[in-house]
Amino acid sequence: MSHTVRQKEKLIARVRRIRGQMEGIERALDTEAACAEVLRQLASVRGAMNGLTAEVMEDHLRQHVLAAETDAARRDGGEELVEVIRTYMK
Amino acid sequence: MSHTVRQKEKLIARVRRIRGQMEGIERALDTEAACAEVLRQLASVRGAMNGLTAEVMEDHLRQHVLAAETDAARRDGGEELVEVIRTYMK
Amino acid sequence: MSHTVRQKEKLIARVRRIRGQMEGIERALDTEAACAEVLRQLASVRGAMNGLTAEVMEDHLRQHVLAAETDAARRDGGEELVEVIRTYMK
Amino acid sequence: MSHTVRQKEKLIARVRRIRGQMEGIERALDTEAACAEVLRQLASVRGAMNGLTAEVMEDHLRQHVLAAETDAARRDGGEELVEVIRTYMK
């Protein structure tokens, strides 16, 4: 994943935020917070995960398909994206 | 959507199957079938819709990105796909 | 699905709208509309299907769980809902 | 969320597993693993999150709806679940 340094930092910051949210969910379960509150936090992580995944897919499309250096590399990058789309649409 | 004739027929056949499933759901509601049965049929349509959508995305990627005739056309096809991915991952 | 008449009419109207949207998608494929346009219409059906499904789930919860006449009926209605939730969260 | 101790431990163990998976994703990004690999790990977390969420919903249904001590408590538990279903089906 040959991201630019800036892009890499941005993705890692998103992952860390989600890790923080997961710690919050563990705490909520541990202190027996209301179910509804735990479910709200889970929904919030789901949104953040979807956003992160869309961003990684977009990076992949840009770098390994649109900006591929050879036709063969572009084909490979494209096939990987097809695989990912199938997984996510199942 | 300049699909090959064969690909187009295949997609249309999928759409018709889903239309048939939706008629089944209307009938189930009309004859007051059990909720659980209606929900099973809805889940089945959801699966069929996801499969159809994944196939249209894949076609788009193959024809308008991988097989694009110019770099500009490829960029446009790629941007459209980015837009679609964002919509579906929201 | 012993819905009130009014509720039944409302659900059937939603199903018919989705059937109309599916006809639109068939037409779009048949007339070779742009991929991006077909994908937008597919996303719109997905939203409508999710809304319909949430409404049927909610009806089920209200009628077969909250308003169940016996504890046994409530337990059965609850187990059906658990089954549905598992299917949709997979 | 007045879970039994055993149920609580089980949920917390699931959350910790997901936290471990998120650390793996951070590491993959940091060491510039292949995009396709990062996307596979993201899909795996998504599956684990969905399973965890289904389990919390199921617990909520069992404890705050099916096993509610009063009709008023059951109604409140039911309304919370309706809210959650709407959020997740959007």
Side-chain angles (χ1 to χ4, degrees):
Chain A
M1 202 164 181
S2 49
H3 292 123
T4 58
V5 173
R6 208 175 143 255
Q7 182 59 10
K8 178 175 148 177
E9 290 311 316
K10 207 172 121 193
L11 291 173
I12 287 179
R14 272 183 182 246
V15 172
R16 287 201 183 134
R17 246 189 327 269
I18 295 172
R19 288 179 56 190
Q21 289 174 290
M22 289 306 300
E23 281 177 51
I25 291 173
E26 184 171 337
R27 232 169 9 245
L29 287 167
D30 201 42
T31 58
E32 295 174 21
C35 260
E37 175 51 28
V38 173
L39 285 163
R40 258 189 298 277
Q41 292 186 28
L42 285 166
S44 166
V45 169
R46 193 171 80 135
M49 280 294 297
N50 284 346
L52 170 62
T53 304
E55 193 160 335
V56 177
M57 283 186 191
E58 187 179 331
D59 283 358
H60 178 81
L61 176 64
R62 290 195 197 285
Q63 294 173 46
H64 302 295
V65 183
L66 299 182
E69 291 189 5
T70 65
D71 280 350
R74 173 171 297 125
R75 223 166 18 241
D76 288 351
E79 289 310 319
E80 285 177 344
L81 190 55
V82 163
E83 218 44 65
V84 165
I85 287 170
R86 282 189 194 148
T87 302
Y88 274 89
M89 297 304 292
K90 247 194 317 201
Chain B
M1 203 165 179
S2 50
H3 292 124
T4 59
V5 173
R6 204 171 146 259
Q7 181 60 11
K8 179 176 148 176
E9 290 310 315
K10 207 172 123 193
L11 292 172
I12 288 180
R14 272 183 181 247
V15 172
R16 286 201 184 133
R17 248 191 323 270
I18 295 171
R19 288 180 56 191
Q21 289 175 292
M22 290 307 298
E23 282 177 51
I25 291 173
E26 184 172 336
R27 232 169 8 246
L29 288 167
D30 200 42
T31 58
E32 296 174 20
C35 260
E37 175 52 29
V38 174
L39 286 163
R40 257 189 298 278
Q41 293 186 27
L42 286 165
S44 166
V45 169
R46 192 171 81 134
M49 281 295 297
N50 284 346
L52 171 61
T53 304
E55 193 161 333
V56 177
M57 282 186 192
E58 186 179 330
D59 283 358
H60 178 82
L61 176 64
R62 289 194 196 286
Q63 292 172 46
H64 302 295
V65 183
L66 298 182
E69 290 189 4
T70 63
D71 280 353
R74 172 171 298 126
R75 222 166 17 240
D76 288 351
E79 288 310 320
E80 285 175 345
L81 191 56
V82 163
E83 218 43 66
V84 166
I85 287 170
R86 282 190 194 146
T87 302
Y88 274 89
M89 298 304 293
K90 248 195 314 205
Chain C
M1 203 165 179
S2 49
H3 292 123
T4 59
V5 173
R6 205 171 146 260
Q7 181 60 11
K8 179 175 147 177
E9 291 310 317
K10 206 170 122 194
L11 291 172
I12 287 179
R14 271 181 182 248
V15 172
R16 286 201 184 133
R17 241 185 335 264
I18 295 171
R19 287 180 57 191
Q21 289 175 291
M22 289 307 298
E23 281 177 51
I25 291 172
E26 184 172 336
R27 231 166 13 242
L29 288 168
D30 201 41
T31 58
E32 296 175 19
C35 260
E37 175 52 28
V38 174
L39 286 164
R40 259 189 297 278
Q41 293 186 28
L42 286 166
S44 167
V45 169
R46 193 170 82 135
M49 281 294 299
N50 284 347
L52 171 61
T53 303
E55 193 161 334
V56 177
M57 283 186 191
E58 186 178 331
D59 284 357
H60 178 82
L61 176 64
R62 289 196 197 284
Q63 292 173 47
H64 302 296
V65 182
L66 299 182
E69 290 188 5
T70 64
D71 280 352
R74 172 171 298 123
R75 221 168 16 241
D76 288 351
E79 288 309 321
E80 284 176 345
L81 191 55
V82 163
E83 217 45 63
V84 166
I85 287 170
R86 281 188 195 149
T87 302
Y88 274 89
M89 297 305 292
K90 247 195 314 202
Chain D
M1 200 163 181
S2 50
H3 292 123
T4 58
V5 173
R6 203 170 148 260
Q7 182 60 11
K8 179 175 147 176
E9 290 309 317
K10 207 172 121 193
L11 292 173
I12 287 179
R14 271 182 182 248
V15 172
R16 287 200 184 135
R17 240 182 338 262
I18 295 171
R19 289 179 56 191
Q21 290 175 291
M22 290 306 297
E23 281 177 52
I25 291 172
E26 184 171 336
R27 227 163 18 239
L29 287 168
D30 201 42
T31 58
E32 295 175 21
C35 260
E37 176 52 29
V38 173
L39 286 163
R40 258 190 297 279
Q41 292 186 29
L42 286 166
S44 166
V45 169
R46 192 171 82 136
M49 280 296 296
N50 283 346
L52 170 62
T53 305
E55 193 160 334
V56 177
M57 283 186 190
E58 186 179 330
D59 283 358
H60 178 82
L61 176 64
R62 290 195 195 286
Q63 292 172 46
H64 302 296
V65 183
L66 298 182
E69 291 189 4
T70 64
D71 280 351
R74 172 171 297 125
R75 224 165 17 239
D76 288 352
E79 289 310 319
E80 284 176 345
L81 191 56
V82 163
E83 217 44 64
V84 166
I85 287 170
R86 282 189 195 148
T87 302
Y88 274 89
M89 297 304 292
K90 248 195 314 202

